[in-house]
């Protein structure tokens, strides 16, 4: 049970959290406070683009550019929130990395994963299910039948969707699979386990996965020797075209947001933009929003990484965000403070109400902001938030030094606190890199659908990191090649990656790495057989599987091949079981390098001055902190050591899990949101735990909050190495 809000609880909140800690959007679906007047014209134009695509059978490209920290991702977050009010279907795609040949297929995989969600047992709550039902209702294809879940109503919806498909899918290639998803999900909601498997098979096919004979039969289709899958890029495009058209019929137009594409390397950008160009030319009722730092995007254009024709189509509508005025900066800070303190005002904490009446910027202070803005004509929103973060920390220090009553009585207190001791540049970079790595990994953990299991994505992420280490430092890695089947019909390579390492004794060792995320035993057979047959090109073979979401499934032939590999012994064959955190960490490491490359990673050094962190500085930080070596797969290829993939060996806490869940829900019942760290501080205080145990408590609270997020009770947002937690539905 939570305690009633009091002035002491308010002081604890000031000590334990900082509403200005996050200065960038990491989750467009989060409930972070926004100010509608900021970039209002750009937002209005963006909404108009979506509405135009909904009304007319056209597709529109929009380019969103601006300086780092000017608010691009915040604008996309506002669009996502606007769309969530029954207006559009926005899919937010970030750090889209795959080999150029499979880029479009990975975009489809990520899109369908986002629309269907990653929990197959709950497809009735997915956006894809909503779109299909609304399409048959809004077009009148149901012919007056009510939306119920009885067998007759389900059959009527199936027939209605088939009638729609005759117009938008004349080849009848996609609609039957969407109907398998629609009817499978509907029957599954009535307790039919077989129907749930049919819906799952439909999602796999729509995602571009390869189905085996058993899954294919669930869709009333036959699988050839290589399985059942979308044959080529044209088939992949067709799925996206049909989805876009159905979204329009449902009056929820499809919007693909490709955010921070300038974080990718040139080859990936070229492939992604070429596919985006093709989609816009051939699809209907589709909006593709490309977002990036203005300087980086223009460099990609002038360097012809993005061809002129693709640029013209993608940048059909250009929205450039500029810096904000001092008045707008104040509005941003007031908005954050309103969200953070409203719970105390609603509970009529007299001291808070009185202080806020005196100054709406309490506990920052209007006089403080006027001094910071003296002579400033315009600034980035990020700058204002960073100033406020430092000011809040100064108030925390003052509160700790003099106590609550004196702090409030003397507020705002002395203008300048003690100067912090100087910190080495490398230490500041290392701290920021570590925080952002944790943030990126946690963000993917909270939004698993945004990082679907995908062999090529795993291979591309791993290659991206290893290529920067080859021949450098203490690494044993000499070279790494990303092998792909360049032409249709050409035999697939035995391995995704081929690495050459030099052992301490001077011997060159060639290692082949195969990633396997097959949903069926049929899909595992051929890759494993190719590994067995590769006896001339490699000394060692590594199999990497997604143990958490796609554990290795083996049929008869696949088991025989796997057994043959195991007989080679551990020095010649290693099966590395990767969990989701391992995949997310690779993604986060690559994302950090990309942010630095696009000049969007900043630190404060010295205090009060902000500078960009370069890609070389990030790599140097990785090396100093052994961040790459900490990853089991990267370590295996950088050190010529065999490392077991392991799970979390931390013993469970001594606290009752249900008690922890109740603690979180009770504390959130009267607050707009809390940091997990603050929840942990309250929890530790009530349990009278020694401060040495705080890291353990904090970790426990974060894991419990993540579980509540997965179950839909709270919404958690990754913020540096912490979580911001809100009750679902609260804004």
């Amino acid at each position: 049970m939570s305690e009633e809000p009091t002035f002491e609880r308010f002081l604890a909140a000031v000590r334990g959290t900082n509403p200005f800690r996050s200065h960038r959007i990491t989750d467009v679906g989060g409930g972070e406070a926004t100010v509608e007047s900021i970039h209002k014209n750009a937002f209005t134009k963006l909404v108009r683009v979506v509405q135009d695509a909904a009304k007319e059978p056209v597709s529109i490209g929009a380019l969103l550019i601006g300086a780092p920290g000017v608010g691009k991702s915040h604008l996309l977050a506002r669009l996502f929130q606007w769309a969530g009010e029954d207006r559009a279907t926005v899919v937010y795609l970030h750090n889209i990395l795959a080999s150029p040949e499979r880029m479009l297929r990975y975009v489809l995989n990520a899109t369908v994963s986002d629309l269907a969600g990653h929990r197959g047992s709950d497809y009735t709550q997915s956006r894809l299910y909503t779109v299909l039902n609304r399409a048959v209702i809004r077009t009148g294809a149901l012919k007056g039948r009510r939306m119920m879940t009885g067998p007759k109503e389900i059959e009527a919806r199936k027939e209605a969707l088939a009638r729609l498909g005759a117009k938008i899918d004349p080849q009848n290639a996609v609609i039957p699979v969407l109907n398998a998803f629609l009817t499978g999900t509907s029957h599954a909601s009535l307790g039919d386990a077989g129907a749930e498997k049919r819906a799952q098979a439909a999602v796999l096919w729509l995602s571009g996965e390869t189905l085996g004979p058993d899954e294919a039969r669930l869709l009333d289709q036959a699988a050839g020797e290589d399985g059942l899958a979308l044959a080529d890029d044209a088939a992949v495009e067709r799925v996206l075209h049909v989805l876009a058209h159905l979204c329009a019929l449902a009056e929820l137009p499809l919007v693909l947001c490709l955010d921070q594409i300038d974080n990718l390397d040139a080859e990936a950008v070229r492939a992604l933009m070429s596919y985006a160009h093709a989609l816009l030319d051939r699809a209907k009722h589709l909006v593709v929003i490309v977002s990036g730092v203005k300087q980086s995007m223009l460099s990609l254009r002038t360097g012809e990484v993005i061809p002129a024709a693709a640029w013209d189509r993608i940048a059909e509508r250009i929205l450039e965000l500029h810096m904000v005025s001092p008045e707008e900066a104040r509005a941003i800070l007031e908005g954050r403070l309103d969200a953070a303190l409203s719970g105390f005002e609603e509970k009529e904490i007299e001291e808070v109400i009185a202080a806020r009446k005196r100054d709406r910027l309490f506990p920052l202070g209007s006089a403080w902001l006027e001094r910071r803005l003296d002579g400033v004509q315009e600034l980035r929103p990020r700058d204002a938030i960073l100033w406020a973060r430092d000011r809040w920390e100064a108030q925390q220090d003052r509160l700790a030094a003099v106590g609550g009553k004196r702090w409030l009585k003397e507020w705002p207190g002395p203008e300048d606190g003690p100067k912090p001791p100087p910190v080495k540049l490398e230490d500041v970079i290392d701290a920021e890199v570590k925080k952002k790595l944790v943030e990126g990994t946690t963000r993917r953990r909270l939004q698993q659908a945004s990082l679907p299991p995908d062999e090529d994505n795993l291979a591309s992420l791993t290659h991206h990191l290893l290529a920067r280490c080859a021949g450098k430092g203490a690494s044993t890695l000499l070279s790494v090649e990303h092998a792909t089947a360049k032409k249709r019909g050409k035999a697939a390579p035995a391995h995704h990656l081929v690495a050459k390492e030099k052992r301490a004794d001077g011997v060159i060792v060639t290692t082949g790495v195969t990633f396997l995320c097959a949903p069926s035993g049929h899909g595992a057979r051929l890759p494993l057989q190719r590994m067995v047959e590769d006896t001339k090109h490699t000394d060692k073979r590594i199999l990497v599987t997604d143990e958490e979401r796609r554990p290795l499934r083996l049929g008869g032939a696949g088991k025989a091949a796997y057994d043959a590999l195991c007989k080679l012994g551990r020095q010649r064959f290693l099966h590395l079981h990767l969990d989701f955190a391992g995949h997310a960490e690779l993604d986060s490491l690559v994302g950090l390098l990309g942010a630095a490359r696009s000049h969007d990673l900043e630190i404060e050094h010295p205090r009060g001055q902000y500078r960009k962190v370069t890609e070389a500085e990030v790599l140097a930080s990785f090396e100093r902190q052994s961040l790459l070596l900490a990853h089991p797969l990267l370590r295996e290829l950088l050190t010529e050591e065999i490392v077991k993939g392991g799970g979390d060996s931390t013993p469970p806490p001594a606290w009752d899990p249900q008690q922890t869940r109740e603690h979180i829900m009770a504390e959130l019942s009267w607050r707009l949101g809390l940091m997990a760290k603050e929840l942990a501080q309250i929890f530790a205080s009530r349990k009278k735990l020694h401060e040495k145990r705080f890291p353990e408590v904090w970790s426990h609270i974060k894991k419990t909050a993540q579980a509540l997020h997965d179950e839909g009770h709270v919404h958690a947002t990754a913020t540096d190495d912490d979580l911001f937690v809100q009750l679902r539905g609260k804004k």
Side-chain angles (χ1 to χ4, degrees), residues 431-709:
E432 185 69 12
V433 164
K434 191 66 178 289
K435 284 191 301 184
K436 292 306 176 189
L437 177 59
V438 173
E439 179 184 281
T441 304
T442 304
R443 180 177 68 247
R444 292 297 198 185
R445 164 69 181 79
L446 295 169
Q447 306 159 35
Q448 285 197 34
S450 70
L451 190 66
D454 188 276
E455 296 157 5
D456 191 67
N457 175 251
L458 276 167
S460 298
L461 291 168
T462 305
H463 178 261
H464 192 94
L465 294 165
L466 292 176
R468 283 155 175 73
C469 302
K472 298 177 181 177
S475 166
T476 61
L477 183 67
L478 298 176
S479 66
V480 60
E481 177 187 356
H482 189 179
T484 57
K486 300 291 184 182
K487 296 180 180 178
R488 185 182 176 187
K490 183 180 178 182
H495 306 284
H496 291 97
L497 302 179
V498 177
K500 291 187 181 297
E501 298 174 80
K502 186 175 183 179
R503 290 194 324 215
D505 59 6
V507 174
I508 304 298
V509 177
T510 301
T511 303
V513 186
T514 297
F515 297 87
L516 193 51
C517 298
S520 68
H522 182 88
R525 175 177 61 87
L526 288 177
L528 291 173
Q529 288 178 343
R530 286 193 291 267
M531 289 184 73
V532 171
E533 294 164 1
D534 183 40
T535 58
K536 297 181 180 179
H537 304 100
T538 56
D539 304 299
K540 183 166 62 178
R541 281 156 272 191
I542 298 176
L543 174 66
V544 183
T545 57
D546 185 329
E547 193 65 17
E548 186 172 332
R549 298 178 294 173
R550 293 275 179 85
L552 183 63
R553 295 174 60 185
L554 298 171
K559 187 176 187 306
Y562 183 76
D563 289 345
L565 288 168
C566 291
K567 288 178 182 178
L568 296 174
R570 285 183 57 80
Q571 294 304 314
R572 296 177 62 198
F573 173 69
L574 171 66
H575 181 184
L576 202 155
H577 304 271
L578 201 65
D579 58 11
F580 178 77
H583 188 173
E585 188 174 344
L586 291 173
D587 177 82
S588 186
L589 287 162
V590 171
L592 272 171
L593 291 171
R597 187 185 311 116
S598 63
H599 312 292
D600 200 23
L601 184 64
E602 296 180 336
I603 58 168
E604 185 181 12
H605 188 272
R607 192 75 169 174
Q609 297 180 26
Y610 301 97
R611 70 181 291 274
K612 314 290 185 187
V613 181
T614 67
E615 190 175 4
E617 288 174 326
V618 172
L619 280 169
S621 179
F622 286 175
E623 185 173 358
R624 283 193 299 273
Q625 301 186 78
S626 299
L627 295 178
L628 299 184
L629 294 178
H631 193 282
L633 173 58
L634 299 178
R635 181 177 178 84
E636 171 61 30
L637 294 165
L638 291 171
T639 63
E640 186 50 23
E641 293 179 3
I642 294 179
V643 179
K644 293 181 180 179
D648 185 1
S649 60
T650 304
W655 311 294
D656 178 6
Q658 183 59 31
Q659 187 181 70
T660 310
R661 295 164 71 92
E662 290 173 356
H663 162 73
I664 293 173
M665 298 301 289
E667 290 302 318
L668 294 176
S669 66
W670 60 278
R671 295 282 296 278
L672 287 183
L674 288 166
M675 301 300 294
K677 192 170 189 177
E678 184 180 353
L679 285 164
Q681 288 169 336
I682 298 169
F683 187 86
S685 175
R686 290 203 183 122
K687 294 287 184 181
K688 296 181 171 55
L689 299 174
H690 193 279
E691 62 181 16
K692 289 183 178 179
R693 297 194 67 188
F694 183 75
E696 178 188 354
V697 177
W698 188 19
S699 176
H700 174 59
I701 291 289
K702 286 194 284 188
K703 287 182 179 179
T704 305
Q706 288 173 358
L708 290 169
H709 172 94

Side-chain angles (χ1 to χ4, degrees), residues 392-430:
W392 189 283
E393 289 178 358
Q395 291 298 326
Q396 287 175 323
D397 293 341
R398 174 71 178 165
L399 175 59
V402 302
K405 291 184 178 179
R406 181 178 169 187
W407 170 74
L408 184 62
K409 181 179 179 181
E410 298 178 355
W411 183 85
E415 288 190 14
D416 299 313
K419 289 186 177 181
V423 183
K424 290 174 58 179
L425 175 61
E426 289 183 351
D427 292 342
V428 177
I429 292 175
D430 288 351

Side-chain angles (χ1 to χ4, degrees), residues 148-159:
M148 300 178 68
T149 56
K152 290 184 179 180
E153 287 76 19
I154 294 173
E155 185 64 24
R157 279 185 281 164
K158 177 181 178 180
E159 294 172 359

Side-chain angles (χ1 to χ4, degrees), residues 119-123 180-181 183-203 218:
R119 291 186 291 273
S121 61
D122 199 20
Y123 283 140
F181 171 81
T183 57
T185 300
S186 300
H187 283 296
S189 69
L190 302 177
D192 185 343
E196 182 179 309
K197 291 181 179 178
R198 185 165 70 252
Q200 290 173 341
V203 170
L218 292 171

